Amino acid sequence: MTNLDLAEWFSAFIHILLTYTLITLLHLAVPAHHVRGYVHDGPKFYRLNGLRVFFIVSLSFIICIGYFQYLDIRYLIRLRMKHSICACILGLIFTFLIVLPFKQNSSSFWLDIYLGRLKNPQLFFNRTDGKILLYLIGGIGLELNLILFYFQFAQENKPMTNIIVYVILFSFFTIEYFYHEYVHLYTFDFIVEYVGFKLVWGCLVFYPFFYPITIWCQIHPTSLSFTRQCFSIAVFFLGWILSRGANNQKYLFRTQPKARFLGVFQPISINGRLLCSGWWSISRHINYLGDTLMATGLSLAIDGGIYPWLYPLYYVALFIARERTDNERCQEKYGRDWEEYCRRVPYRIIPFLY
Ligand code: NDP
């Protein structure tokens, strides 16, 4: 290994470590909303300030890199692979730190490593929830990679509507996630998952480096036709309406069971336990279709060959498996009510198809 190589590895490691440290410190210091969660074995209140931290870090990055040019953009892009490998290594180290010291959870050591032993680890003297912090690092990491991807082409002065539409839509995806951070306390990851390799590595490596898989591809900046722009944006926002609508409707039902969603949709439920109106009457996991359509809209926008399609394809595989797991969980939890729900809403994810 040459000296130059070593220096680059060192820089990459420091960049990743500094980013994690900065996000963590900001998360601990910036004023937060204290929100009650859904799980009873979790913290009484979650400290949520994701959107604020997101904007502080992203805007600082844009100003430092794009305006003051404290770091050379080309240098950062050259380090991309090294950044991702450092994130992998740190992801492994954090996995061991969050799993090994704690009581065995399953019969297999490796299953414990993969799925985790703690469901709701509280960190920094109980000031923050481990899952919240992991999602924060993952979401912001994703955004920083998108910003860098934009700057990579912005200097070339070529038409690049494909890149602009892609970056704007994907940034919308991350911003609106943090805007609705409290809603995600009611999702599978917070209700069911433990914190092990799957979640730690997912947040530190998969979100920032695989979701925007396009950053790794040979993308040619082009001017998308108006029809193509409209089509990709329409698919993306159709997905958003399905996903956000379902998640927010469920949140409202859990927090104010009698309230009309968006002031219009009267909740109809099975014994007050399972919603079967509005978004939850279209299919049993219409939100999964929504997220997949959002990913499809992104791949359509970038117009970058086959590889960007791995992101929506990954969703298809993830959601088919997750729906099955959730179905078993709900069958066990709700029994007859779940059977009745399946009878009234027969489709798992895609209405009339699946
Ligand atoms: P859901 O939001 O569908 O949550 C499933 C849980 O909701 C069930 O376990 C049950 O929990 C409750 N539930 C199910 N049906 C009903 C009903 N009819 N009425 C009321 N409550 C019901 O799934 P996820 O948590 O998996 O996904 C949440 C969001 O996150 C989705 O938009 C999904 O697409 C997205 N997602 C994104 C990922 C990503 O990597 N970007 C990964 C995974 C998900 P309980 O009974 O305990 O309330």
Side-chain angles (χ1 to χ4, degrees):
M1 202 184 281
T2 63
N3 280 350
L4 178 70
D5 235 21
L6 260 182
E8 285 192 351
W9 276 110
F10 184 71
S11 300
F13 188 72
I14 295 295
H15 293 161
I16 296 290
L17 207 56
L18 275 181
T19 310
Y20 293 176
T21 310
L22 177 70
I23 295 171
T24 306
L25 290 177
L26 283 170
H27 174 54
L28 294 173
V30 168
H33 299 290
H34 290 78
V35 178
R36 267 187 195 283
Y38 179 53
V39 286
H40 19 257
D41 47 358
K44 208 160 180 204
F45 290 98
Y46 287 85
R47 282 187 81 252
L48 302 184
N49 56 9
L51 197 61
R52 291 172 185 170
V53 177
F54 173 91
F55 276 118
I56 295 173
V57 178
S58 308
L59 293 178
S60 310
F61 187 66
I62 292 174
I63 293 167
C64 293
I65 302 295
Y67 186 72
F68 289 115
Q69 304 191 338
Y70 287 139
L71 276 175
D72 181 23
I73 290 163
R74 258 171 291 220
Y75 177 64
L76 287 178
I77 290 162
R78 201 170 73 228
L79 289 192
R80 187 176 277 149
M81 180 58 87
K82 292 190 170 75
H83 284 146
S84 67
I85 293 172
C86 291
C88 288
I89 295 167
L90 284 172
L92 276 176
I93 294 172
F94 290 146
T95 301
F96 288 128
L97 288 177
I98 201 87
V99 173
L100 288 184
F102 301 98
K103 214 176 93 218
Q104 199 154 336
N105 194 34
S106 74
S107 52
S108 151
F109 171 80
W110 292 109
L111 199 61
D112 271 11
I113 293 285
Y114 182 66
L115 294 176
R117 287 178 175 168
L118 297 183
K119 199 168 183 188
N120 298 291
Q122 300 302 296
L123 309 175
F124 302 105
F125 305 102
N126 291 341
R127 194 165 162 78
T128 187
D129 176 76
K131 287 181 181 171
I132 292 287
L133 182 59
L134 281 168
Y135 279 104
L136 192 57
I137 294 176
I140 294 177
L142 164 60
E143 186 62 28
L144 297 185
N145 273 329
L146 289 173
I147 294 168
L148 210 51
F149 179 64
Y150 169 80
F151 280 134
Q152 181 177 345
F153 300 98
Q155 297 165 323
E156 292 176 12
N157 234 348
K158 286 187 191 154
M160 48 183 267
T161 44
N162 59 339
I163 288 161
I164 293 172
V165 174
Y166 177 82
V167 170
I168 290 179
L169 291 182
F170 223 147
S171 300
F172 174 86
F173 171 86
T174 46
I175 292 169
E176 83 90 41
Y177 174 87
F178 287 120
Y179 181 81
H180 293 104
E181 213 178 4
Y182 58 96
V183 173
H184 296 275
L185 301 176
Y186 290 68
T187 60
F188 190 92
D189 291 5
F190 279 84
I191 308 171
V192 181
E193 298 272 28
Y194 283 68
V195 182
F197 176 82
K198 188 175 164 206
L199 209 137
V200 173
W201 214 73
C203 287
L204 300 188
V205 182
F206 230 58
Y207 289 163
F209 294 103
F210 174 76
Y211 275 29
I213 188 169
T214 300
I215 62 174
W216 301 98
C217 305
Q218 281 272 336
I219 297 293
H220 300 289
T222 55
S223 180
L224 281 181
S225 71
F226 182 69
T227 323
R228 179 77 175 251
Q229 277 181 52
C230 292
F231 186 55
S232 56
I233 293 171
V235 170
F236 179 89
F237 279 106
L238 172 65
W240 178 70
I241 290 167
L242 295 180
S243 171
R244 183 48 60 206
N247 294 335
N248 283 19
Q249 192 190 3
K250 187 180 78 177
Y251 171 78
L252 186 72
F253 178 65
R254 290 287 178 231
T255 48
Q256 301 170 54
K258 299 229 153 60
R260 285 168 186 260
F261 182 51
L262 302 175
V264 180
F265 297 94
Q266 179 77 41
I268 301 172
S269 71
I270 298 168
N271 292 330
R273 300 173 87 199
L274 289 164
L275 258 179
C276 56
S277 60
W279 277 250
W280 293 85
S281 66
I282 310 174
S283 77
R284 301 201 293 268
H285 277 98
I286 196 68
N287 45 3
Y288 292 173
L289 177 62
D291 276 45
T292 310
L293 285 176
M294 286 170 89
T296 306
L298 289 168
S299 303
L300 280 169
I302 198 64
D303 194 12
I306 197 161
Y307 291 110
W309 290 95
L310 290 178
Y311 172 47
L313 276 178
Y314 156 75
Y315 269 174
V316 172
L318 171 80
F319 289 143
I320 287 178
R322 179 171 280 202
E323 188 278 330
R324 298 274 161 170
T325 315
D326 196 51
N327 191 50
E328 272 173 33
R329 177 179 179 270
C330 290
Q331 177 69 58
E332 201 173 301
K333 180 173 175 183
Y334 295 105
R336 288 240 169 119
D337 288 340
W338 186 253
E339 282 158 23
E340 173 60 16
Y341 179 52
C342 294
R343 198 188 58 74
R344 290 199 207 178
V345 183
Y347 295 100
R348 291 171 187 271
I349 299 177
I350 310 175
F352 307 109
L353 257 181
Y354 177 74

